[in-house]
């Protein structure tokens, strides 16, 4: 294993993490809810459509950030290397997988781990493992 | 109404955190998942920072019946580790590894104006809708 020092950003990432933690804290303390993005978005697609207002508000907040950010500074680089076909497959897998697994990097990875939930630990280890393995296969076995 | 406002602010702070952390850059996320290549450990610091704030907050929140806005506290009730949890998470990880995008950053990419981000979000929403269609009959049978 080689460390990619050129792209390593410990301070910015720690700062960003603290902000994410603050958002999660705000949400549980005031709204009494777990800030799991896949659960919040997935709930909007439920036939019963419970609590549409706050779900939409959270999503509007997330989507608006880059637009507001641009008023003050240039957005940091954001690069998607995956091709169109791979993106569609990846999106479908993320959509189906996070709903069957009841959470994603936020709900299980951050909120669940913070709550010391064994279920979330199992989920996080599972998606981390298959994420690592997928990148290994794509980059080093298939050489994409 | 306050409920709505706090959700909006939480979404804004969450999204700002994702951008500052570098999580809204799929290439950087892939750099973290590439253990065998040039590994970028930054994402470990994102998790550490987030958990450092969230863990003590949840410890405090768990003891409360109502939130600060006097809403019922909603903690996940499920306890068991089953095939759905692990299988779903494994599928999610494959998608995450293929594109470097998970649901939070996907929504930030929507606002960034990257067409590829939009395509990903549409596919992700289709995946979530598929779950509702496939899973609903099963839930009703039980």
């Amino acid at each position: 294993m080689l460390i990619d020092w050129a792209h390593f950003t410990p301070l910015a990432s720690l700062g960003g993490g603290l902000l994410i933690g603050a958002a999660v804290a705000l949400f549980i303390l005031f709204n009494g809810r777990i800030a799991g993005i896949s659960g919040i978005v997935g709930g909007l697609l439920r036939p019963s459509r419970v609590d549409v207002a706050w779900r939409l508000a959270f999503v509007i907040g997330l989507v608006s950030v880059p637009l507001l950010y641009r008023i003050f500074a240039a957005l940091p680089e954001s690069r998607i290397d995956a091709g169109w076909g791979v993106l569609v497959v990846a999106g479908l897998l993320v959509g189906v997988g996070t709903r069957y697994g009841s959470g994603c990097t936020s709900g299980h990875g951050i909120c669940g781990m913070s709550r010391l939930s064994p279920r979330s630990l199992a989920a996080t280890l599972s998606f981390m493992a298959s994420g690592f393995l997928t990148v290994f296969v794509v980059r080093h076995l298939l050489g994409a | 109404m306050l409920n709505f406002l706090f959700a909006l602010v939480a979404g804004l702070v969450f999204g700002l955190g994702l951008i500052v952390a570098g999580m809204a850059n799929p290439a950087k996320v892939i750099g973290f998942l590439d253990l065998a290549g040039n590994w970028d450990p930054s994402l470990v610091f994102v998790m550490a920072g987030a958990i450092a704030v969230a863990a003590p907050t949840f410890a405090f929140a768990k003891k409360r019946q109502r939130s600060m806005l006097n809403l019922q506290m909603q903690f996940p009730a499920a306890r068991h580790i089953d095939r759905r949890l692990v299988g779903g998470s494994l599928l999610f990880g494959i998608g995450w590894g293929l594109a470097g995008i998970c649901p939070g950053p996907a929504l930030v990419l929507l606002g960034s104006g990257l067409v590829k981000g939009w395509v990903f979000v549409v596919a992700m929403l289709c995946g979530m809708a598929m779950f509702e269609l496939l899973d609903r009959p099963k839930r009703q049978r039980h």
Side-chain angles (χ1 to χ4, degrees):
Chain A
M1 181 194 294
L2 295 163
I3 302 287
D4 183 2
W5 295 110
H7 293 102
F8 184 41
T9 53
L11 283 181
S13 289
L14 186 69
L18 292 172
L19 281 170
I20 294 168
V24 165
L26 193 78
F27 207 49
I28 191 68
L29 289 178
F30 286 88
N31 292 55
R33 290 266 177 181
I34 301 283
I37 313 296
S38 55
I40 292 173
V41 177
L44 288 170
L45 304 173
R46 282 254 139 135
S48 55
R49 291 181 186 273
V50 282
D51 317 319
V52 175
W54 68 262
R55 288 176 194 272
L56 265 182
F58 195 101
V59 170
I60 290 168
L62 264 179
V63 177
S64 330
V65 174
L67 306 166
L68 296 171
Y69 195 100
R70 266 205 204 120
I71 298 171
F72 303 100
L75 274 177
E77 191 211 9
S78 188
R79 206 180 74 231
I80 302 173
D81 291 329
W84 300 97
V86 172
L87 267 180
V88 170
V89 173
L92 285 170
L93 285 171
V94 169
V96 169
T98 52
R99 297 300 286 141
Y100 270 105
S102 314
C104 55
T105 29
S106 50
H108 282 311
I110 293 168
C111 296
M113 302 274 272
S114 295
R115 294 188 302 117
L116 303 174
S117 151
R119 212 172 118 80
S120 288
L121 177 66
T124 305
L125 289 175
S126 303
F127 66 69
M128 285 281 180
S130 63
F132 285 132
L133 193 68
T134 301
V135 172
F136 180 76
V137 169
V138 170
R139 278 213 171 164
H140 301 287
L141 295 186
L142 303 175
Chain B
M1 196 59 216
L2 270 178
N3 183 16
F4 183 89
L5 187 71
F6 276 93
L8 182 73
V9 173
L12 285 168
V13 177
F14 200 108
L16 181 64
L18 287 174
I19 292 180
V20 172
M23 285 287 292
N25 180 7
K28 188 171 178 69
V29 174
I30 299 272
F32 167 75
L33 291 174
D34 191 8
L35 277 179
N38 247 347
W39 189 49
D40 176 358
S42 306
L43 225 128
V44 175
F45 288 75
V46 184
M47 292 283 282
I51 292 174
V53 178
T57 311
F58 276 117
F60 168 76
K62 266 183 206 167
K63 294 183 202 133
R64 298 177 60 97
Q65 293 293 317
R66 314 284 295 177
S67 77
M68 304 284 189
L69 297 179
N70 200 27
L71 298 162
Q72 179 72 43
M73 299 297 268
Q74 311 247 356
F75 289 107
R79 288 280 174 275
H80 48 286
I81 296 167
D82 54 11
R83 281 222 304 258
R84 282 172 69 99
L85 179 85
V86 175
S89 298
L90 287 172
L91 287 182
F92 160 46
I94 296 172
W96 191 35
L98 286 175
I101 310 171
C102 52
L107 295 177
V108 173
L109 288 171
L110 202 63
S112 305
L114 285 178
V115 180
K116 278 188 168 177
W118 299 349
V119 169
F120 181 90
V121 170
V122 171
M124 181 178 86
L125 292 176
C126 289
M128 289 178 166
M130 271 165 60
F131 164 82
E132 296 297 336
L133 289 174
L134 294 172
D135 199 51
R136 193 165 27 137
K138 211 184 287 175
R139 270 202 308 263
Q140 282 168 347
R141 231 180 290 136
H142 282 301

